[in-house]
Amino acid sequence: MALFENGTETLRWNGNKLRGQVMFFKHNSYDKALNYLGLIFGYANKNYNDYDANVYYTDGSASFTNTFSGMKEKQVEFMLNSGLMSIGKYLGADFSFAIGASYNMFDKQSAGIYFNEPDTYYLDDDFFNKRQKNYFMVQLAMRFSFGLCLGGKR
């Protein structure tokens, strides 16, 4: 998954992303549509690919390019979901909107000594400079799905 571009290189991650949802349907909604509220729980374990960034000494004496490898991030998310599901004899559709938050834990130790010695080194890279070790992020999602309905009468 592409995450960040610094003009010459794209930072990507691989790993696992799991998401589960619990739905509470409101009966007697519309004739062939069901309203529902739901809770979405998610977890992601991201391993970033190797990434090159310019490193400067804070006194301005020298600079060099370093390859950062082994960067990791974990993400836990929680969202409140509201939707409308329409189920026919053979076809069905689902439209939903969700809002929530995620808590992200970036392992800066895996990026090397540059975060351990901020008085000595400066990274000229937005990915590292704007990234906090642990941070919250607002999540918004809108989803529409359409498909076949298999099974008994609803």
Side-chain angles (χ1 to χ4, degrees):
M1 169 177 249
L3 178 69
F4 182 80
E5 283 190 47
N6 66 0
T8 59
E9 187 175 14
T10 301
L11 181 63
R12 298 181 183 273
W13 66 269
N14 60 22
N16 301 316
K17 184 166 187 168
L18 305 171
R19 188 178 277 172
Q21 178 173 346
V22 177
M23 298 163 135
F24 303 99
F25 288 93
K26 180 181 177 187
H27 295 288
N28 301 327
S29 322
Y30 298 106
D31 187 21
K32 292 204 174 199
L34 298 169
N35 288 332
Y36 66 87
L37 285 175
L39 300 173
I40 298 174
F41 304 97
Y43 174 79
N45 188 8
K46 302 175 183 180
N47 298 310
Y48 294 101
N49 65 329
D50 293 350
Y51 187 72
D52 294 331
N54 294 325
V55 182
Y56 298 93
Y57 288 96
T58 53
D59 62 4
S61 62
S63 68
F64 57 94
T65 300
N66 188 62
T67 299
F68 296 95
S69 60
M71 296 179 295
K72 298 178 181 180
E73 184 173 28
K74 293 181 182 178
Q75 179 183 47
V76 178
E77 61 185 20
F78 174 79
M79 301 176 81
L80 180 63
N81 189 27
S82 177
L84 180 67
M85 186 179 292
S86 178
I87 300 174
K89 188 172 182 180
Y90 299 109
L91 298 175
D94 182 13
F95 176 76
S96 67
F97 178 77
I99 186 168
S102 67
Y103 183 67
N104 302 279
M105 297 152 279
F106 183 64
D107 184 8
K108 286 190 174 186
Q109 297 298 328
S110 63
I113 62 171
Y114 310 107
F115 287 112
N116 298 334
E117 300 179 22
D119 297 335
T120 308
Y121 300 100
Y122 173 75
L123 290 163
D124 185 26
D125 193 276
D126 284 341
F127 174 75
F128 291 111
N129 291 336
K130 293 180 180 178
R131 179 76 49 152
Q132 300 295 320
K133 184 175 178 180
N134 297 325
Y135 60 96
F136 282 98
M137 198 167 78
V138 174
Q139 298 243 353
L140 297 172
M142 188 169 32
R143 183 183 68 200
F144 177 75
S145 60
F146 180 78
L148 295 175
C149 293
L150 305 174
K153 187 176 179 182
R154 307 213 193 319

